Amino acid sequence: MTDQPISTPKFLESLRGLLHPTDRLLLQEAGPDLQVEYFTLPKGTVYTENPMLDGHISIVQKGIVGVSHRMENLVNWSHFYTPGSFVFNLEIHKELNAMDSKWHVLEDTHVYSIDTNAEGSAALERLMVALKLQRSLLCSYQYQHYINEHGLDRHDYSVKWLRSNNKVAAALPRKELANFLGVSNSSLKLYLKEALDHA
Amino acid sequence: MPRSKVEVIAGRLAELTGLPENFPDFLAFGALFEGPFHFTPGENIWGSGQKDGYVWYIQAGYGFDKVDLEDGTMMLNGMIEPGLFVCDEKNLLWGKLTGSSAKLYTHTTAYRLATDRWREFAYQHADFRSVLYRINAHFLQMRKLRLIKMKHKDKKAYWEETKARFPGIELYCTQTEIASYFGVSKSTMHRIMK
């Protein structure tokens, strides 16, 4: 981990987007006190927990992290973090991980991060209270988003997903990719062809 | 003797968390709610595209909440039942127009709290925030399970389980809304239901 100067406008823009509109000014007020950290998660690592990110809000700058869970002895991919994604370690927190969720680092992954327990000015503390509340809500809402995506037509969704996530698709064995998209191996073959034809 | 609004809401929070009913933040939180509001079968508690958002507490009554999907269809999301706090999460998180609806199929009694007042309360009460974080962590686990079930559980068995949990579901939700809930096409859902 290294401390980076706040030359990270995209990260700060994403943090701004995480806040409720009525709280976005807090980021301007507390900006000078904000300490942005930079982590690298090495390719091939599987995290069953990541206490280093306790209390953090992180965003992927570069790389891919896949998330798997276990149900009735099956390992299932549920989603992938790619550049711009928020990453919270609550989903793999030791005490809350009944489904054996894991992070699989599929490429060297660089994340910008802030520690919401950082102390400082009153403005910084107000900002952190607002960010912690949003993090708590978003951790759960992210899964609602994945649920909503899975409610979409499988054919259309799969083709669109394969087109915009070709690097992730290439990193997974076909069987696991079909399992992730919730389609059969033969459907996946057709959808891959369709995605490539329109690429 | 009927319980007051504050007792009802504080009592439910105590049940959910194991903390005492007279926990000061629960009493103060309960006091902020408006109501009771009474709904008749077929009425919406809220609909899509509304600017004003509320956190609702359902004291009595049943219904279904449905989420607007990106392709313009709606997906059945879950059941509304007594003891639940429900809201439109996009509206709660970012003040956006509601992207869901909640329709009732029985007479219902509920209380509501405007989301801006909810937020203000959370900011001012650190103990309440801690409780909220625990509840949200629980939701995260529930949704993980729901997502994986939706993707990989045997659909026929999942339909039987859902029918048993939500009696009358076919009467109040379209086949398309139910099909989305299971992540299958309408024709596959038709076969499963037969």
Side-chain angles (χ1 to χ4, degrees):
Chain A
M1 184 198 92
T2 52
D3 284 343
Q4 294 280 305
I6 305 178
S7 58
T8 51
K10 263 183 129 175
F11 173 71
L12 295 176
E13 191 52 37
S14 299
L15 268 191
R16 191 173 176 278
L18 172 62
L19 288 164
H20 189 275
T22 54
D23 293 327
R24 287 181 184 161
L25 263 181
L26 291 174
L27 195 60
Q28 253 168 280
E29 291 167 13
D33 300 330
L34 207 57
Q35 196 73 25
V36 181
E37 300 167 0
Y38 193 70
F39 294 92
T40 299
L41 311 176
K43 181 181 173 177
T45 316
V46 177
Y47 290 94
T48 52
E49 58 174 328
N50 191 339
M52 188 171 73
L53 293 182
D54 277 354
H56 279 66
I57 293 175
S58 309
I59 296 174
V60 175
Q61 184 218 8
K62 192 169 175 260
I64 308 167
V65 178
V67 186
S68 75
H69 316 270
R70 182 185 40 76
M71 191 184 86
E72 292 164 1
N73 295 325
L74 280 173
V75 173
N76 301 284
W77 296 98
S78 67
H79 55 286
F80 298 89
Y81 296 120
T82 55
S85 305
F86 279 106
V87 183
F88 308 112
N89 71 341
L90 192 65
E91 67 188 343
I92 55 166
H93 198 283
K94 206 176 175 180
E95 288 169 23
L96 300 164
N97 200 355
M99 288 179 66
D100 197 18
S101 305
K102 289 176 184 158
W103 286 353
H104 304 254
V105 185
L106 302 176
E107 271 185 9
D108 280 345
T109 298
H110 308 291
V111 294
Y112 284 115
S113 193
I114 55 161
D115 181 0
T116 58
N117 293 320
E119 290 175 358
S121 63
L124 185 74
E125 281 175 20
R126 277 201 306 275
L127 172 67
M128 292 312 182
V129 166
L131 283 172
K132 281 182 194 175
L133 185 65
Q134 292 297 89
R135 176 184 57 201
S136 170
L137 294 171
L138 188 60
C139 277
S140 157
Y141 185 66
Q142 272 183 329
Y143 274 84
Q144 181 64 49
H145 177 72
Y146 309 136
I147 290 168
N148 295 354
E149 285 187 334
H150 210 70
L152 294 167
D153 177 82
R154 288 294 83 204
H155 181 169
D156 279 357
Y157 176 78
S158 300
V159 172
K160 279 183 196 154
W161 189 91
L162 290 165
R163 265 185 223 147
S164 46
N165 294 278
N166 50 2
K167 274 174 84 180
V168 185
L172 293 187
R174 288 283 186 271
K175 201 176 166 189
E176 291 180 17
L177 185 59
N179 188 30
F180 161 66
L181 291 168
V183 299
S184 65
N185 289 337
S186 54
S187 296
L188 175 65
K189 211 172 161 186
L190 289 173
Y191 300 162
L192 276 168
K193 188 174 178 306
E194 203 175 318
L196 283 172
D197 286 349
H198 288 85
Chain B
M1 193 178 146
R3 301 178 85 202
S4 71
K5 167 187 78 177
V6 174
E7 287 168 337
V8 166
I9 293 168
R12 180 58 182 150
L13 286 168
E15 272 175 14
L16 288 170
T17 60
L19 290 164
E21 281 191 29
N22 60 1
F23 183 57
D25 281 4
F26 290 169
L27 298 173
F29 184 64
L32 290 178
F33 277 73
E34 305 169 68
F37 295 89
H38 300 289
F39 297 90
T40 53
E43 269 193 284
N44 274 352
I45 302 188
W46 75 82
S48 293
Q50 292 179 352
K51 190 171 178 291
D52 295 331
Y54 299 92
V55 173
W56 289 88
Y57 176 69
I58 311 298
Q59 185 180 12
Y62 293 87
F64 292 100
D65 76 281
K66 300 171 185 182
V67 172
D68 301 347
L69 298 181
E70 280 172 25
D71 62 1
T73 60
M74 286 179 101
M75 179 179 79
L76 165 66
N77 191 43
M79 195 180 203
I80 288 170
E81 51 195 343
L84 283 190
F85 290 91
V86 288
C87 68
D88 182 283
E89 285 175 270
K90 260 192 199 169
N91 182 284
L92 184 71
L93 263 158
W94 298 296
K96 291 185 179 175
L97 295 180
T98 52
S100 62
S101 57
K103 195 170 193 168
L104 300 163
Y105 70 86
T106 66
H107 287 280
T108 295
T109 302
Y111 301 90
R112 75 177 190 192
L113 172 60
T115 51
D116 54 348
R117 297 196 71 198
W118 171 89
R119 184 171 289 277
E120 200 183 309
F121 183 85
Y123 286 163
Q124 287 168 2
H125 294 81
D127 291 339
F128 181 81
R129 285 201 304 277
S130 301
V131 168
L132 194 65
Y133 297 159
R134 275 167 40 205
I135 292 174
N136 282 342
H138 174 69
F139 275 135
L140 169 65
Q141 301 306 310
M142 302 265 289
R143 282 183 172 162
K144 264 188 198 178
L145 187 61
R146 157 88 178 104
L147 176 65
I148 299 302
K149 272 184 170 181
M150 187 184 187
K151 284 167 90 112
H152 303 296
K153 194 176 164 83
D154 174 80
K155 298 293 192 268
K156 201 162 185 316
Y158 197 12
W159 165 239
E160 293 301 330
E161 182 187 308
T162 305
K163 225 173 29 170
R165 183 155 182 256
F166 303 161
I169 185 171
E170 313 97 300
L171 305 174
Y172 301 99
C173 302
T174 67
Q175 215 165 65
T176 307
E177 290 163 357
I178 298 174
S180 300
Y181 182 85
F182 291 98
V184 298
S185 66
K186 197 178 161 185
S187 55
T188 305
M189 196 67 229
H190 184 70
R191 276 201 307 278
I192 293 170
M193 288 167 105
K194 273 176 98 179

